[in-house]
Amino acid sequence: MSLLLGTTITISSNHWMMAWTGLEINTLAIIPLISKSHHPRAIEAATKYFLTQAAASALLLFSSMTNAWFTGQWDITQLTHPTSCLLLTTAVSIKLGLTPFHFWFPEVLQGSSMTTGLLLATLMKFPPTALLVLTSPSLNPTLLTTMAIASAALGGWMGLNQTQVRKILAFSSISHLGWMTIILLYNPKLTLLTFYLYCLMTSAIFLALNTTKITNLATMMTAWTKIPPLAATLMLALLSLAGLPPLTGFLPKWLIIQELTKQEMTSVATTIALLSLLGLFFYLRLAYCATITLPPNSSNHMKQWQTNKSVRIPITTLISLSIMLLPLSPMIFATT
């Protein structure tokens, strides 16, 4: 309830102090969820998360106070002072895990459970993204483009040599944040659309991994022996997150590249499109491990064709949406 309250306060506020309060409520609400297992790695993750988020919140408060000092405005949309804009970009980048402030995110995600990891990768990113969208006209385009390309590159490169599924999803998140940030100044609605579709696909993958109890590539290789249909649809959801047509994940990338080309940023569009190939490699590796590899000693036993009833409907709904939304693109064009 505190998570929902904090998120609602931040996204509905137009005063900097209220936005800061919402972010603080969010931070304090997620820490018990991260450290719930009492494992040393979970405690370490909670400590890292608290320290980075506290630093980001302090920077955000400092940015808004500097702006109020020079302009007399506490309104979120009236952020006009250059130093304040720079400080805010830094603060929100730390909160989101944008390069070069990404170091905490894979570690925290690795120390959390799958359910908490899902919250960290989706819900916790919403308030800072909303703040970025609200302040987007005041931000520095060169800085945002540089950070976006660095995030897409680093998310791709660092994910290549990982064996832990949660770390791979963390670097995937960093890479997707790059796509969201690069289009922020030119079409903020497209940033939000990319974020919503990313949340949809990531939720489907996290829930599927949680159901099959997959934590690394080795356990992923035996996934198909447990629930074959879920392993097959998990492969499609992973390829959708990679952005392959004709799956849902292709839609935001297509729209972003189209918008960047309209803005005469062809070189930037080409660069970020090529960098997404790095991400495609590790998604393909995950999909390959999930469906095509055979475990060395598979025993002949009855396969489980149905999952637990409590997760069956959410997983089927989310995976269906993360695979089959591309035909709705004309309707999405109309809304953006």
Side-chain angles (χ1 to χ4, degrees), residues 134-152:
L134 286 170
T135 55
S136 58
S138 318
L139 302 178
N140 184 338
T142 315
L143 179 65
L144 281 180
T145 306
T146 309
M147 288 171 78
I149 289 177
S151 293

Side-chain angles (χ1 to χ4, degrees), residues 170-238:
F171 287 115
S172 147
S173 177
I174 293 167
S175 177
H176 277 84
L177 280 170
W179 282 87
M180 287 175 222
T181 312
I182 205 158
I183 204 67
L184 179 70
L185 295 177
Y186 310 106
N187 194 339
K189 281 185 180 176
L190 203 45
T191 298
L192 284 176
L193 174 72
T194 311
F195 179 71
Y196 297 147
L197 290 177
Y198 163 74
C199 287
L200 178 79
M201 295 181 288
T202 307
S203 303
I205 289 168
F206 266 104
L207 286 174
L209 294 174
N210 194 32
T211 307
T212 48
K213 300 287 180 286
I214 294 170
T215 52
N216 55 30
L217 292 180
T219 51
M220 203 165 201
M221 290 181 188
T222 61
W224 76 272
T225 61
K226 296 171 188 169
I227 311 172
L230 189 57
T233 48
L234 173 61
M235 179 191 76
L236 288 173
L238 284 164

Side-chain angles (χ1 to χ4, degrees), residues 278-307:
L278 293 168
L280 175 62
F281 176 80
F282 61 75
Y283 292 123
L284 275 173
R285 190 174 62 169
L286 282 173
Y288 176 80
C289 287
T291 49
I292 303 172
T293 52
L294 287 172
N297 50 355
S298 54
S299 56
N300 292 324
H301 64 279
M302 293 291 285
K303 302 284 187 286
Q304 183 186 349
W305 286 86
Q306 288 189 335
T307 54

Side-chain angles (χ1 to χ4, degrees), residues 67-82:
N67 191 61
W69 180 271
F70 282 102
T71 63
Q73 284 284 350
W74 280 98
D75 197 304
I76 291 179
T77 52
Q78 300 297 317
L79 190 80
T80 49
H81 195 262

